[in-house]
Amino acid sequence: MRRLARGQGAALDTLFARHGGRVYRLARGMLPQPEDAEDATQEVFLKLLERAGQFDCRARFTTWLHRLTVNLCLNRGERQRQRVCEGLAAELAAEGGDPSAGAAQADECARAAALLERLSPEHRAVLSLRELEGLSYAEIAATLHLPVGTVMSRLARARERLAAEVGEREATKVGALSLPKTRTR
Amino acid sequence: MIDERAPAGCEDVRTRLSARHDGEYPDPAGELDRHLARCAECAGFERALGSLGERVFDPLRAAEPPRGLAGRVSARAARAAQGGLRRGDRGVAALARGLAAALLGFLGVQLFASRAPAEERSSALELLGETGHALAHPGDHPPPELALVRLFETETEARR
């Protein structure tokens, strides 16, 4: 980061080689369309370049990077919510019986992202940080500026909701995961 | 954090089950398992916890950045840096023009007030005129920063 702050563009390449995968996966978990995730990844690294001078070298770089990624994805998600929901509705309708949707069904990654898109942005953020990045509750709390207890309950509510979504989809095929309806926070 | 002394309702139990699944809640008293033995719904949630990773997150964990993304990031960064530099140049140029204009005014007043011979005053006024023209038409002349340097050099020379 010190190299980057001094404007050495080569440092950006090194940082991308080290962290590009984690930023892309996190964005992929939070944004349903792969092109949005790619775009968000590019924006994260541009912001990195822009804000390199603001990075406090005593802080943990990955926490800063995760926060940057989550915030950017949350902002993008809000702007694109309407468009994405329309796209998801079309996809779900297609899965109902249109044989031409076979290619889309084969894309497990896209389906997983579409399932996550059914959750609130806050739920997606905690789930992605936990499941895709393997962060501890304390690390998620530090990244999102939340109490650990909130992280814990938010993760549980997110999983309930996600399990219900999976169950709904499975119900149209081989049978639902029998999950109770619960209140969500 | 969850208050461990609180009575365990289903929502609270599922919060703890989720945390136990992540290795963040050890449940040493075995309270969760006792609840699961008598609550089919929470037992269903615990089974779902195991399957979500495989069904939803494994494909996403395997996702790799698209080929060529690193190059596209570098290219965008380079374009952004160039844009920033141009904006920076414009800012410097505007500042230099402002300073030069102020200096021109100051020198003009000094010249009129001075007792220098008419010939020297005339050549100095000519230089001021040239510089003023350069400031007014930056595209036809060296950048105003250069005009400013020339002006400073000339003014310094004139004082010797």
Side-chain angles (χ1 to χ4, degrees):
Chain A
M1 282 305 295
R2 287 193 191 94
R3 286 176 59 203
L4 188 57
R6 287 199 300 269
Q8 295 182 19
L12 189 69
D13 295 339
T14 309
L15 281 176
F16 189 89
R18 283 182 194 160
H19 302 287
R22 81 168 66 227
V23 170
Y24 178 74
R25 275 188 293 277
L26 189 51
R28 194 74 184 88
M30 294 190 65
L31 299 167
Q33 304 297 328
E35 56 270 27
D36 290 339
E38 172 173 342
D39 223 36
T41 304
Q42 291 191 29
E43 280 187 43
V44 165
F45 281 90
L46 288 178
K47 287 251 181 276
L48 206 63
L49 198 63
E50 204 178 288
R51 299 183 185 174
Q54 297 171 18
F55 175 67
D56 179 354
C57 293
R58 291 166 301 179
R60 204 168 155 212
F61 175 67
T62 47
T63 303
W64 191 64
L65 186 64
H66 284 139
R67 191 178 301 144
L68 199 63
T69 308
V70 167
N71 287 340
L72 201 138
C73 289
L74 287 176
N75 289 338
R76 283 182 76 95
E78 283 307 307
R79 290 200 305 271
Q80 294 167 349
R81 177 164 298 282
Q82 188 59 40
R83 176 171 70 74
V84 162
C85 286
E86 285 166 5
L88 180 63
E91 185 203 339
L92 290 171
E95 278 193 18
D98 181 359
S100 68
Q105 283 180 322
D107 187 350
E108 288 185 353
C109 195
R111 283 194 293 165
L115 277 167
L116 284 174
E117 175 59 16
R118 293 294 197 93
L119 309 184
S120 71
E122 291 76 18
H123 284 175
R124 256 180 288 146
V126 288
L127 267 179
S128 297
L129 288 169
R130 173 63 210 169
E131 296 284 357
L132 303 179
E133 286 304 305
L135 265 58
S136 70
Y137 286 14
E139 288 169 327
I140 297 171
T143 300
L144 300 178
H145 296 304
L146 291 172
V148 171
T150 303
V151 170
M152 191 182 283
S153 58
R154 201 175 273 186
L155 265 171
R157 302 293 84 75
R159 283 167 165 154
E160 284 176 344
R161 174 84 177 141
L162 186 61
E165 291 294 338
V166 171
E168 275 180 30
R169 284 212 175 185
E170 292 296 312
T172 62
K173 297 172 187 172
V174 290
L177 286 165
S178 57
L179 283 169
K181 297 282 181 192
T182 53
R183 286 180 290 129
T184 55
R185 275 201 283 239
Chain B
M1 293 294 288
I2 294 173
D3 180 359
E4 295 187 13
R5 294 164 301 180
C10 282
E11 184 173 303
D12 177 50
V13 164
R14 288 177 204 171
T15 301
R16 296 181 197 220
L17 282 170
S18 167
R20 186 171 76 170
H21 173 76
D22 290 328
E24 298 262 0
Y25 182 72
D27 189 27
E31 189 187 356
L32 292 179
D33 288 327
R34 282 198 297 279
H35 182 95
L36 291 177
R38 62 177 192 274
C39 180
E41 292 187 338
C42 286
F45 176 70
E46 196 199 25
R47 283 194 300 277
L49 284 177
S51 66
L52 282 177
E54 187 185 325
R55 289 172 192 229
V56 180
F57 296 108
D58 279 356
L60 290 170
R61 286 187 196 112
E64 288 294 331
R67 191 183 293 269
L69 180 56
R72 290 192 285 281
V73 168
S74 290
R76 274 186 71 175
R79 282 200 300 276
Q82 273 184 339
L85 202 59
R86 272 189 232 109
R87 280 195 299 279
D89 285 349
R90 283 198 293 274
V92 170
L95 179 66
R97 273 199 297 274
L99 284 172
L103 191 59
L104 278 176
F106 173 76
L107 289 174
V109 170
Q110 293 286 313
L111 272 173
F112 278 112
S114 77
R115 294 179 180 177
E119 194 180 322
E120 283 183 23
R121 283 169 57 177
S122 167
S123 93
L125 277 171
E126 193 181 326
L127 177 64
L128 284 179
E130 272 181 26
T131 309
H133 185 76
L135 286 171
H137 303 89
D140 304 336
H141 295 273
E145 301 90 311
L146 279 182
L148 186 65
V149 170
R150 277 184 55 196
L151 190 60
F152 264 115
E153 284 171 353
T154 310
E155 202 269 341
T156 308
E157 197 62 42
R159 281 177 180 271
R160 283 182 185 157

